[in-house]
mmCIF file of all heavy atoms in Angstrom:
data_model
loop_
_atom_site.group_PDB
_atom_site.id
_atom_site.type_symbol
_atom_site.label_atom_id
_atom_site.label_comp_id
_atom_site.label_asym_id
_atom_site.label_seq_id
_atom_site.Cartn_x
_atom_site.Cartn_y
_atom_site.Cartn_z
ATOM 1 N N ALA B 1 49.919 -60.047 77.088
ATOM 2 C CA ALA B 1 51.129 -60.952 77.370
ATOM 3 C C ALA B 1 50.849 -62.344 76.691
ATOM 4 O O ALA B 1 51.905 -62.894 76.212
ATOM 5 C CB ALA B 1 51.319 -61.038 78.724
ATOM 6 N N ILE B 2 49.693 -62.931 76.809
ATOM 7 C CA ILE B 2 49.492 -64.265 76.330
ATOM 8 C C ILE B 2 49.199 -64.523 74.915
ATOM 9 O O ILE B 2 49.473 -65.472 74.303
ATOM 10 C CB ILE B 2 48.458 -64.998 77.195
ATOM 11 C CG1 ILE B 2 47.029 -64.411 76.773
ATOM 12 C CG2 ILE B 2 48.658 -64.908 78.676
ATOM 13 C CD1 ILE B 2 45.883 -65.197 77.219
ATOM 14 N N ILE B 3 48.694 -63.440 74.080
ATOM 15 C CA ILE B 3 48.378 -63.632 72.761
ATOM 16 C C ILE B 3 49.604 -64.104 71.924
ATOM 17 O O ILE B 3 49.463 -65.100 71.071
ATOM 18 C CB ILE B 3 47.832 -62.260 72.119
ATOM 19 C CG1 ILE B 3 46.376 -61.983 72.592
ATOM 20 C CG2 ILE B 3 47.858 -62.272 70.696
ATOM 21 C CD1 ILE B 3 45.449 -63.059 72.320
ATOM 22 N N PRO B 4 50.764 -63.548 72.039
ATOM 23 C CA PRO B 4 51.938 -64.070 71.213
ATOM 24 C C PRO B 4 52.241 -65.457 71.488
ATOM 25 O O PRO B 4 52.575 -66.171 70.620
ATOM 26 C CB PRO B 4 53.094 -63.084 71.652
ATOM 27 C CG PRO B 4 52.480 -61.891 72.235
ATOM 28 C CD PRO B 4 51.244 -62.328 72.931
ATOM 29 N N LYS B 5 51.946 -66.014 72.689
ATOM 30 C CA LYS B 5 52.301 -67.412 73.011
ATOM 31 C C LYS B 5 51.068 -68.318 72.943
ATOM 32 O O LYS B 5 51.314 -69.487 73.106
ATOM 33 C CB LYS B 5 52.920 -67.327 74.465
ATOM 34 C CG LYS B 5 54.144 -66.590 74.649
ATOM 35 C CD LYS B 5 55.354 -67.412 74.136
ATOM 36 C CE LYS B 5 56.612 -66.723 74.411
ATOM 37 N NZ LYS B 5 57.854 -67.553 73.926
ATOM 38 N N LEU B 6 49.904 -67.719 72.925
ATOM 39 C CA LEU B 6 48.629 -68.552 72.963
ATOM 40 C C LEU B 6 48.535 -69.635 71.911
ATOM 41 O O LEU B 6 48.226 -70.820 72.062
ATOM 42 C CB LEU B 6 47.459 -67.749 72.910
ATOM 43 C CG LEU B 6 46.157 -68.426 73.307
ATOM 44 C CD1 LEU B 6 46.260 -69.044 74.599
ATOM 45 C CD2 LEU B 6 45.005 -67.478 73.212
ATOM 46 N N ARG B 7 48.873 -69.274 70.655
ATOM 47 C CA ARG B 7 48.888 -70.194 69.510
ATOM 48 C C ARG B 7 49.813 -71.209 69.650
ATOM 49 O O ARG B 7 49.459 -72.445 69.521
ATOM 50 C CB ARG B 7 49.209 -69.383 68.232
ATOM 51 C CG ARG B 7 49.014 -70.302 67.065
ATOM 52 C CD ARG B 7 49.286 -69.547 65.668
ATOM 53 N NE ARG B 7 49.233 -70.265 64.549
ATOM 54 C CZ ARG B 7 49.406 -69.840 63.336
ATOM 55 N NH1 ARG B 7 49.862 -68.519 63.064
ATOM 56 N NH2 ARG B 7 49.307 -70.608 62.325
ATOM 57 N N VAL B 8 50.968 -70.995 70.162
ATOM 58 C CA VAL B 8 52.016 -72.075 70.414
ATOM 59 C C VAL B 8 51.554 -72.962 71.495
ATOM 60 O O VAL B 8 51.638 -74.238 71.417
ATOM 61 C CB VAL B 8 53.330 -71.474 70.738
ATOM 62 C CG1 VAL B 8 54.409 -72.590 71.180
ATOM 63 C CG2 VAL B 8 53.888 -70.607 69.581
ATOM 64 N N HIS B 9 50.953 -72.402 72.595
ATOM 65 C CA HIS B 9 50.457 -73.154 73.606
ATOM 66 C C HIS B 9 49.332 -74.038 73.396
ATOM 67 O O HIS B 9 49.200 -75.336 73.708
ATOM 68 C CB HIS B 9 50.010 -72.188 74.838
ATOM 69 C CG HIS B 9 49.598 -72.851 76.019
ATOM 70 N ND1 HIS B 9 50.410 -73.754 76.679
ATOM 71 C CD2 HIS B 9 48.435 -72.868 76.636
ATOM 72 C CE1 HIS B 9 49.615 -74.267 77.744
ATOM 73 N NE2 HIS B 9 48.524 -73.760 77.790
ATOM 74 N N ILE B 10 48.341 -73.543 72.568
ATOM 75 C CA ILE B 10 47.207 -74.334 72.151
ATOM 76 C C ILE B 10 47.666 -75.505 71.243
ATOM 77 O O ILE B 10 47.098 -76.573 71.386
ATOM 78 C CB ILE B 10 46.213 -73.546 71.334
ATOM 79 C CG1 ILE B 10 45.676 -72.484 72.320
ATOM 80 C CG2 ILE B 10 45.179 -74.267 70.655
ATOM 81 C CD1 ILE B 10 44.570 -71.432 71.566
ATOM 82 N N LYS B 11 48.732 -75.243 70.475
ATOM 83 C CA LYS B 11 49.161 -76.370 69.580
ATOM 84 C C LYS B 11 49.848 -77.419 70.461
ATOM 85 O O LYS B 11 49.854 -78.688 69.942
ATOM 86 C CB LYS B 11 50.147 -75.854 68.472
ATOM 87 C CG LYS B 11 49.433 -75.163 67.350
ATOM 88 C CD LYS B 11 50.614 -74.717 66.356
ATOM 89 C CE LYS B 11 49.776 -74.129 65.208
ATOM 90 N NZ LYS B 11 50.918 -73.704 64.085
ATOM 91 N N SER B 12 50.341 -77.152 71.521
ATOM 92 C CA SER B 12 51.076 -78.091 72.331
ATOM 93 C C SER B 12 50.234 -78.814 73.416
ATOM 94 O O SER B 12 50.656 -79.785 73.969
ATOM 95 C CB SER B 12 52.136 -77.361 73.161
ATOM 96 O OG SER B 12 51.565 -76.500 74.196
ATOM 97 N N ILE B 13 48.914 -78.444 73.424
ATOM 98 C CA ILE B 13 48.055 -79.066 74.445
ATOM 99 C C ILE B 13 47.196 -80.307 74.063
ATOM 100 O O ILE B 13 46.703 -81.056 74.874
ATOM 101 C CB ILE B 13 47.221 -78.058 75.120
ATOM 102 C CG1 ILE B 13 46.168 -77.485 74.049
ATOM 103 C CG2 ILE B 13 47.956 -77.075 75.951
ATOM 104 C CD1 ILE B 13 45.182 -76.630 74.850
ATOM 105 N N PRO B 14 46.898 -80.607 72.721
ATOM 106 C CA PRO B 14 46.082 -81.606 72.351
ATOM 107 C C PRO B 14 46.363 -83.046 72.958
ATOM 108 O O PRO B 14 45.507 -83.718 73.468
ATOM 109 C CB PRO B 14 46.162 -81.743 70.836
ATOM 110 C CG PRO B 14 46.582 -80.360 70.391
ATOM 111 C CD PRO B 14 47.460 -79.857 71.507
ATOM 112 N N GLN B 15 47.638 -83.323 73.029
ATOM 113 C CA GLN B 15 47.995 -84.592 73.675
ATOM 114 C C GLN B 15 48.413 -84.442 75.110
ATOM 115 O O GLN B 15 48.251 -85.456 75.942
ATOM 116 C CB GLN B 15 49.201 -85.244 72.847
ATOM 117 C CG GLN B 15 48.911 -85.489 71.356
ATOM 118 C CD GLN B 15 47.725 -86.418 71.147
ATOM 119 O OE1 GLN B 15 47.633 -87.376 71.955
ATOM 120 N NE2 GLN B 15 47.040 -86.230 70.107
ATOM 121 N N LYS B 16 49.041 -83.353 75.434
ATOM 122 C CA LYS B 16 49.501 -83.127 76.784
ATOM 123 C C LYS B 16 48.517 -82.797 77.884
ATOM 124 O O LYS B 16 48.492 -83.215 78.978
ATOM 125 C CB LYS B 16 50.658 -82.094 76.822
ATOM 126 C CG LYS B 16 51.969 -82.508 76.128
ATOM 127 C CD LYS B 16 52.766 -81.370 75.756
ATOM 128 C CE LYS B 16 53.023 -80.410 77.003
ATOM 129 N NZ LYS B 16 53.928 -79.304 76.727
ATOM 130 N N CYS B 17 47.441 -81.942 77.455
ATOM 131 C CA CYS B 17 46.604 -81.304 78.453
ATOM 132 C C CYS B 17 45.163 -81.098 77.978
ATOM 133 O O CYS B 17 44.915 -80.125 77.317
ATOM 134 C CB CYS B 17 47.247 -80.086 79.012
ATOM 135 S SG CYS B 17 46.392 -79.478 80.494
ATOM 136 N N LYS B 18 44.327 -82.070 78.078
ATOM 137 C CA LYS B 18 43.091 -81.982 77.685
ATOM 138 C C LYS B 18 42.193 -80.938 78.496
ATOM 139 O O LYS B 18 41.237 -80.436 78.026
ATOM 140 C CB LYS B 18 42.271 -83.359 77.734
ATOM 141 C CG LYS B 18 42.825 -84.357 76.768
ATOM 142 C CD LYS B 18 42.106 -85.732 76.963
ATOM 143 C CE LYS B 18 42.611 -86.746 75.962
ATOM 144 N NZ LYS B 18 42.016 -88.018 76.020
ATOM 145 N N GLU B 19 42.669 -80.783 79.788
ATOM 146 C CA GLU B 19 41.893 -79.834 80.553
ATOM 147 C C GLU B 19 41.935 -78.401 79.977
ATOM 148 O O GLU B 19 41.050 -77.645 80.052
ATOM 149 C CB GLU B 19 42.510 -79.800 81.967
ATOM 150 C CG GLU B 19 42.303 -80.988 82.873
ATOM 151 C CD GLU B 19 42.908 -82.241 82.378
ATOM 152 O OE1 GLU B 19 43.908 -82.142 81.674
ATOM 153 O OE2 GLU B 19 42.407 -83.391 82.714
ATOM 154 N N SER B 20 43.110 -77.973 79.395
ATOM 155 C CA SER B 20 43.269 -76.694 78.762
ATOM 156 C C SER B 20 42.316 -76.530 77.600
ATOM 157 O O SER B 20 41.615 -75.496 77.365
ATOM 158 C CB SER B 20 44.613 -76.464 78.243
ATOM 159 O OG SER B 20 45.533 -76.339 79.268
ATOM 160 N N LYS B 21 42.149 -77.607 76.864
ATOM 161 C CA LYS B 21 41.162 -77.617 75.726
ATOM 162 C C LYS B 21 39.792 -77.406 76.241
ATOM 163 O O LYS B 21 38.937 -76.701 75.654
ATOM 164 C CB LYS B 21 41.269 -78.983 74.940
ATOM 165 C CG LYS B 21 42.581 -79.173 74.229
ATOM 166 C CD LYS B 21 42.576 -80.371 73.355
ATOM 167 C CE LYS B 21 41.768 -80.216 72.229
ATOM 168 N NZ LYS B 21 41.820 -81.514 71.346
ATOM 169 N N ILE B 22 39.464 -78.152 77.317
ATOM 170 C CA ILE B 22 38.060 -77.976 77.885
ATOM 171 C C ILE B 22 37.746 -76.528 78.316
ATOM 172 O O ILE B 22 36.695 -76.041 78.003
ATOM 173 C CB ILE B 22 37.868 -78.914 79.015
ATOM 174 C CG1 ILE B 22 38.046 -80.393 78.600
ATOM 175 C CG2 ILE B 22 36.599 -78.701 79.835
ATOM 176 C CD1 ILE B 22 38.182 -81.390 79.750
ATOM 177 N N LEU B 23 38.823 -75.922 79.003
ATOM 178 C CA LEU B 23 38.603 -74.560 79.421
ATOM 179 C C LEU B 23 38.299 -73.585 78.198
ATOM 180 O O LEU B 23 37.633 -72.708 78.292
ATOM 181 C CB LEU B 23 39.730 -74.089 80.262
ATOM 182 C CG LEU B 23 39.913 -74.908 81.625
ATOM 183 C CD1 LEU B 23 41.191 -74.508 82.313
ATOM 184 C CD2 LEU B 23 38.682 -74.677 82.587
ATOM 185 N N ILE B 24 39.262 -73.795 77.160
ATOM 186 C CA ILE B 24 39.232 -72.908 75.934
ATOM 187 C C ILE B 24 37.911 -73.084 75.302
ATOM 188 O O ILE B 24 37.301 -72.093 74.931
ATOM 189 C CB ILE B 24 40.450 -73.184 75.138
ATOM 190 C CG1 ILE B 24 41.791 -72.809 75.849
ATOM 191 C CG2 ILE B 24 40.343 -72.502 73.734
ATOM 192 C CD1 ILE B 24 42.938 -73.144 75.068
ATOM 193 N N TYR B 25 37.515 -74.256 75.045
ATOM 194 C CA TYR B 25 36.338 -74.605 74.338
ATOM 195 C C TYR B 25 35.018 -74.137 75.013
ATOM 196 O O TYR B 25 34.057 -73.560 74.503
ATOM 197 C CB TYR B 25 36.109 -76.050 73.856
ATOM 198 C CG TYR B 25 37.189 -76.586 72.875
ATOM 199 C CD1 TYR B 25 37.531 -77.827 72.791
ATOM 200 C CD2 TYR B 25 38.105 -75.642 72.170
ATOM 201 C CE1 TYR B 25 38.491 -78.302 71.953
ATOM 202 C CE2 TYR B 25 38.999 -76.041 71.389
ATOM 203 C CZ TYR B 25 39.211 -77.269 71.202
ATOM 204 O OH TYR B 25 40.274 -77.759 70.373
ATOM 205 N N SER B 26 35.043 -74.323 76.301
ATOM 206 C CA SER B 26 33.883 -73.968 77.160
ATOM 207 C C SER B 26 33.785 -72.363 77.207
ATOM 208 O O SER B 26 32.563 -71.895 77.107
ATOM 209 C CB SER B 26 34.022 -74.479 78.556
ATOM 210 O OG SER B 26 34.204 -75.951 78.671
ATOM 211 N N SER B 27 34.890 -71.764 77.374
ATOM 212 C CA SER B 27 34.789 -70.270 77.456
ATOM 213 C C SER B 27 34.398 -69.728 76.080
ATOM 214 O O SER B 27 33.444 -68.825 76.058
ATOM 215 C CB SER B 27 36.273 -69.687 77.602
ATOM 216 O OG SER B 27 36.696 -70.194 78.878
ATOM 217 N N PHE B 28 34.884 -70.312 75.029
ATOM 218 C CA PHE B 28 34.455 -69.876 73.718
ATOM 219 C C PHE B 28 32.980 -70.081 73.468
ATOM 220 O O PHE B 28 32.225 -69.184 72.946
ATOM 221 C CB PHE B 28 35.197 -70.478 72.638
ATOM 222 C CG PHE B 28 35.134 -69.921 71.265
ATOM 223 C CD1 PHE B 28 35.487 -68.594 70.918
ATOM 224 C CD2 PHE B 28 34.420 -70.671 70.224
ATOM 225 C CE1 PHE B 28 35.261 -68.077 69.650
ATOM 226 C CE2 PHE B 28 34.300 -70.121 68.922
ATOM 227 C CZ PHE B 28 34.685 -68.895 68.633
ATOM 228 N N ALA B 29 32.518 -71.258 73.718
ATOM 229 C CA ALA B 29 31.157 -71.523 73.523
ATOM 230 C C ALA B 29 30.125 -70.688 74.342
ATOM 231 O O ALA B 29 29.038 -70.199 73.829
ATOM 232 C CB ALA B 29 30.842 -73.097 73.913
ATOM 233 N N LEU B 30 30.528 -70.490 75.689
ATOM 234 C CA LEU B 30 29.657 -69.522 76.457
ATOM 235 C C LEU B 30 29.704 -68.175 75.971
ATOM 236 O O LEU B 30 28.683 -67.476 76.076
ATOM 237 C CB LEU B 30 30.182 -69.739 77.918
ATOM 238 C CG LEU B 30 29.859 -70.890 78.701
ATOM 239 C CD1 LEU B 30 30.607 -70.999 80.029
ATOM 240 C CD2 LEU B 30 28.242 -71.049 79.015
ATOM 241 N N PHE B 31 30.793 -67.682 75.510
ATOM 242 C CA PHE B 31 30.925 -66.289 74.955
ATOM 243 C C PHE B 31 30.019 -66.199 73.712
ATOM 244 O O PHE B 31 29.342 -65.190 73.559
ATOM 245 C CB PHE B 31 32.362 -66.122 74.559
ATOM 246 C CG PHE B 31 32.566 -64.735 74.110
ATOM 247 C CD1 PHE B 31 32.714 -63.662 74.977
ATOM 248 C CD2 PHE B 31 32.741 -64.464 72.658
ATOM 249 C CE1 PHE B 31 32.975 -62.266 74.380
ATOM 250 C CE2 PHE B 31 32.883 -63.222 72.127
ATOM 251 C CZ PHE B 31 33.069 -62.121 73.163
ATOM 252 N N LEU B 32 29.947 -67.196 72.873
ATOM 253 C CA LEU B 32 29.138 -67.151 71.648
ATOM 254 C C LEU B 32 27.683 -67.078 72.099
ATOM 255 O O LEU B 32 26.863 -66.355 71.473
ATOM 256 C CB LEU B 32 29.525 -68.310 70.741
ATOM 257 C CG LEU B 32 30.854 -68.259 69.987
ATOM 258 C CD1 LEU B 32 30.952 -69.406 69.084
ATOM 259 C CD2 LEU B 32 30.870 -66.957 69.136
ATOM 260 N N LEU B 33 27.341 -68.067 73.005
ATOM 261 C CA LEU B 33 25.959 -68.163 73.548
ATOM 262 C C LEU B 33 25.414 -66.860 74.020
ATOM 263 O O LEU B 33 24.318 -66.332 73.645
ATOM 264 C CB LEU B 33 25.871 -69.189 74.597
ATOM 265 C CG LEU B 33 25.578 -70.697 74.113
ATOM 266 C CD1 LEU B 33 25.736 -71.524 75.214
ATOM 267 C CD2 LEU B 33 24.209 -70.791 73.468
ATOM 268 N N PHE B 34 26.181 -66.152 74.910
ATOM 269 C CA PHE B 34 25.736 -64.997 75.578
ATOM 270 C C PHE B 34 25.804 -63.750 74.537
ATOM 271 O O PHE B 34 25.089 -62.845 74.699
ATOM 272 C CB PHE B 34 26.500 -64.657 76.827
ATOM 273 C CG PHE B 34 26.015 -65.395 77.969
ATOM 274 C CD1 PHE B 34 26.405 -66.732 78.278
ATOM 275 C CD2 PHE B 34 25.063 -64.895 78.838
ATOM 276 C CE1 PHE B 34 26.026 -67.429 79.396
ATOM 277 C CE2 PHE B 34 24.607 -65.547 80.015
ATOM 278 C CZ PHE B 34 25.078 -66.852 80.178
ATOM 279 N N SER B 35 26.553 -63.951 73.459
ATOM 280 C CA SER B 35 26.775 -62.875 72.502
ATOM 281 C C SER B 35 25.429 -63.021 71.572
ATOM 282 O O SER B 35 24.936 -61.974 70.990
ATOM 283 C CB SER B 35 28.016 -63.068 71.574
ATOM 284 O OG SER B 35 29.109 -62.686 72.399
ATOM 285 N N ALA B 36 24.912 -64.177 71.368
ATOM 286 C CA ALA B 36 23.795 -64.457 70.612
ATOM 287 C C ALA B 36 22.439 -63.994 71.317
ATOM 288 O O ALA B 36 21.504 -63.568 70.659
ATOM 289 C CB ALA B 36 23.666 -65.921 70.305
ATOM 290 N N PHE B 37 22.495 -63.988 72.672
ATOM 291 C CA PHE B 37 21.267 -63.525 73.352
ATOM 292 C C PHE B 37 21.063 -61.978 73.036
ATOM 293 O O PHE B 37 21.959 -61.248 72.997
ATOM 294 C CB PHE B 37 21.478 -63.793 74.830
ATOM 295 C CG PHE B 37 21.500 -65.226 75.212
ATOM 296 C CD1 PHE B 37 21.984 -65.572 76.406
ATOM 297 C CD2 PHE B 37 20.950 -66.276 74.359
ATOM 298 C CE1 PHE B 37 22.066 -66.883 76.762
ATOM 299 C CE2 PHE B 37 20.962 -67.559 74.653
ATOM 300 C CZ PHE B 37 21.526 -67.990 75.917
ATOM 301 N N SER B 38 19.862 -61.651 73.015
ATOM 302 C CA SER B 38 19.482 -60.182 72.760
ATOM 303 C C SER B 38 19.846 -59.351 73.871
ATOM 304 O O SER B 38 20.523 -58.252 73.687
ATOM 305 C CB SER B 38 17.980 -60.058 72.449
ATOM 306 O OG SER B 38 17.651 -58.741 72.237
ATOM 307 N N THR B 39 19.404 -59.606 75.151
ATOM 308 C CA THR B 39 19.735 -58.724 76.287
ATOM 309 C C THR B 39 21.119 -59.006 76.767
ATOM 310 O O THR B 39 21.566 -60.198 76.888
ATOM 311 C CB THR B 39 18.756 -58.962 77.354
ATOM 312 O OG1 THR B 39 18.726 -60.348 77.786
ATOM 313 C CG2 THR B 39 17.257 -58.535 76.922
ATOM 314 N N LYS B 40 21.886 -57.974 77.155
ATOM 315 C CA LYS B 40 23.274 -58.158 77.515
ATOM 316 C C LYS B 40 23.613 -57.115 78.673
ATOM 317 O O LYS B 40 23.243 -56.028 78.511
ATOM 318 C CB LYS B 40 24.228 -58.015 76.289
ATOM 319 C CG LYS B 40 24.108 -59.026 75.174
ATOM 320 C CD LYS B 40 25.057 -58.740 74.138
ATOM 321 C CE LYS B 40 25.001 -59.674 72.948
ATOM 322 N NZ LYS B 40 23.666 -59.499 72.222
ATOM 323 N N LEU B 41 24.258 -57.688 79.666
ATOM 324 C CA LEU B 41 24.851 -56.832 80.617
ATOM 325 C C LEU B 41 26.283 -57.360 81.019
ATOM 326 O O LEU B 41 26.519 -58.607 80.785
ATOM 327 C CB LEU B 41 24.087 -56.772 81.939
ATOM 328 C CG LEU B 41 22.819 -55.945 81.912
ATOM 329 C CD1 LEU B 41 22.094 -56.039 83.232
ATOM 330 C CD2 LEU B 41 23.013 -54.398 81.635
ATOM 331 N N ILE B 42 27.144 -56.553 81.452
ATOM 332 C CA ILE B 42 28.492 -57.029 81.705
ATOM 333 C C ILE B 42 28.530 -58.211 82.760
ATOM 334 O O ILE B 42 29.181 -59.221 82.594
ATOM 335 C CB ILE B 42 29.427 -55.898 82.275
ATOM 336 C CG1 ILE B 42 29.612 -54.806 81.231
ATOM 337 C CG2 ILE B 42 30.787 -56.435 82.778
ATOM 338 C CD1 ILE B 42 30.287 -53.669 81.754
ATOM 339 N N MET B 43 27.706 -58.096 83.782
ATOM 340 C CA MET B 43 27.740 -59.062 84.825
ATOM 341 C C MET B 43 27.176 -60.559 84.336
ATOM 342 O O MET B 43 27.366 -61.407 85.020
ATOM 343 C CB MET B 43 26.824 -58.650 86.101
ATOM 344 C CG MET B 43 27.599 -57.528 86.804
ATOM 345 S SD MET B 43 29.209 -58.235 87.487
ATOM 346 C CE MET B 43 30.147 -56.742 87.462
ATOM 347 N N TYR B 44 26.515 -60.515 83.191
ATOM 348 C CA TYR B 44 25.803 -61.799 82.788
ATOM 349 C C TYR B 44 26.979 -62.728 82.493
ATOM 350 O O TYR B 44 26.771 -63.985 82.536
ATOM 351 C CB TYR B 44 25.087 -61.636 81.510
ATOM 352 C CG TYR B 44 23.829 -60.900 81.579
ATOM 353 C CD1 TYR B 44 22.982 -60.649 80.610
ATOM 354 C CD2 TYR B 44 23.265 -60.552 82.846
ATOM 355 C CE1 TYR B 44 21.773 -60.102 80.668
ATOM 356 C CE2 TYR B 44 22.089 -59.927 83.034
ATOM 357 C CZ TYR B 44 21.285 -59.582 81.899
ATOM 358 O OH TYR B 44 20.176 -58.958 82.045
ATOM 359 N N ILE B 45 28.269 -62.438 82.195
ATOM 360 C CA ILE B 45 29.273 -63.281 81.752
ATOM 361 C C ILE B 45 30.262 -63.506 82.910
ATOM 362 O O ILE B 45 31.264 -64.151 82.642
ATOM 363 C CB ILE B 45 29.989 -62.880 80.433
ATOM 364 C CG1 ILE B 45 30.671 -61.487 80.668
ATOM 365 C CG2 ILE B 45 29.097 -62.947 79.306
ATOM 366 C CD1 ILE B 45 31.540 -61.002 79.427
#
């Protein structure tokens, strides 16, 4: 449901809502970190 609207929403938040950017960037950074680790289990994330 959110993929079609996510790009528009992200473009609208730089000035309006820094909190959304924090959540998006934090999620992405953590996802990359745990993807880079060798051992992985679903519960780790």
